[in-house]
């Protein structure tokens, strides 16, 4: 437990089972919430943003009881929070910790930003190669060969 500036304890209830997403860039918290459709979820949740981080940047955190994320959800999160960490909680204990990794290829998760791309006019599944150019992620379209940066990407929702 942490102490506030006035010495009082700050409490966030522990979860028995569930997932904690930590080290989300603070400016990406609401994108992560949208990607995971958390506004439609009835599970107990805790969100925090603009929290201090050792690396001097502001971070966000999502704690959700009774839910574990699927690989495709984690891959979508990786596009907007590539350095986030995921903690799996079972019986009040962290049983797994890992850094979310950006896959080398993204299929069917993101819309191509090129309005002339065939994927925007035909029932063709999008496919991108993930590139790291000067520290920023770019998605290179397999079909039209245009790049989409993470600030402009549109996640394809199946819900």
């Amino acid at each position: 437990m942490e102490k506030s500036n006035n010495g009082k304890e700050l409490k966030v209830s522990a979860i028995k089972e569930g997932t904690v997403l930590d080290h989300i860039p603070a400016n990406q918290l609401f994108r992560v919430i949208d990607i995971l459709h958390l506004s439609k979820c009835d599970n107990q949740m805790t969100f925090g943003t603009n929290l201090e981080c050792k690396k001097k940047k502001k971070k966000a955190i999502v704690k959700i009881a009774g839910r574990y994320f699927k690989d495709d959800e984690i891959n979508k999160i990786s596009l907007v929070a590539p350095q986030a960490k995921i903690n799996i909680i079972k019986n009040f204990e962290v049983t797994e910790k890992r850094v979310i990794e950006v896959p080398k290829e993204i299929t069917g998760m993101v819309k191509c930003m090129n309005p002339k791309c065939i994927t925007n006019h035909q029932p063709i599944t999008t496919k991108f190669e993930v590139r790291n150019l000067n520290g920023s992620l770019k998605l290179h379209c397999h079909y039209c060969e245009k790049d989409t940066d993470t600030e402009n990407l549109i996640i394809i929702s199946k819900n």
Side-chain angles (χ1 to χ4, degrees), residues 55-125:
K55 297 177 183 176
K56 305 283 187 219
K57 291 185 176 182
K58 300 286 185 174
K59 72 172 186 172
I61 189 169
V62 173
K63 182 190 287 191
I64 183 162
R67 181 154 174 209
Y68 302 99
F69 302 113
K70 298 174 188 157
D71 287 342
D72 68 321
E73 292 173 309
I74 292 170
N75 287 340
K76 289 177 183 178
I77 293 167
S78 76
L79 297 174
V80 298
Q83 298 301 316
K85 293 177 177 44
I86 187 166
N87 297 317
I88 305 300
I89 312 295
K90 295 188 178 175
N91 200 24
F92 296 103
E93 298 289 328
V94 176
T95 61
E96 181 183 346
K97 278 186 165 190
R98 62 185 164 121
V99 175
I100 292 176
E101 294 182 15
V102 181
K104 293 180 182 354
E105 188 175 280
I106 299 289
T107 303
M109 286 190 240
V110 177
K111 181 177 176 168
C112 183
M113 69 178 261
N114 177 6
K116 295 181 180 179
C117 183
I118 192 167
T119 62
N120 289 318
H121 301 284
Q122 299 290 324
I124 297 172
T125 302

Side-chain angles (χ1 to χ4, degrees), residues 13 43 62 72 77 106 127 150 155:
S13 60
N43 301 45
V62 173
D72 68 321
I77 293 167
I106 299 289
K127 183 176 176 181
T150 56
I155 304 286

Side-chain angles (χ1 to χ4, degrees), residues 4-42:
S4 67
N5 290 341
N6 62 8
K8 293 184 179 183
E9 289 183 355
L10 303 174
K11 295 182 181 181
V12 175
S13 60
I15 56 174
K16 183 176 181 180
E17 309 286 330
T19 305
V20 177
L21 294 171
D22 198 2
H23 296 279
I24 301 165
N27 65 344
Q28 296 298 324
L29 174 63
F30 294 102
R31 285 185 90 184
V32 169
I33 290 169
D34 288 342
I35 289 167
L36 298 173
H37 305 287
L38 296 180
S39 64
K40 299 174 185 174
C41 182
D42 291 332

Side-chain angles (χ1 to χ4, degrees), residues 141-156:
C141 181
H142 175 77
Y143 300 101
C144 72
E145 299 189 352
K146 299 287 184 188
D147 287 341
T148 299
D149 59 22
T150 56
E151 290 79 31
N152 294 314
L153 67 84
I154 298 172
I155 304 286
I156 296 171

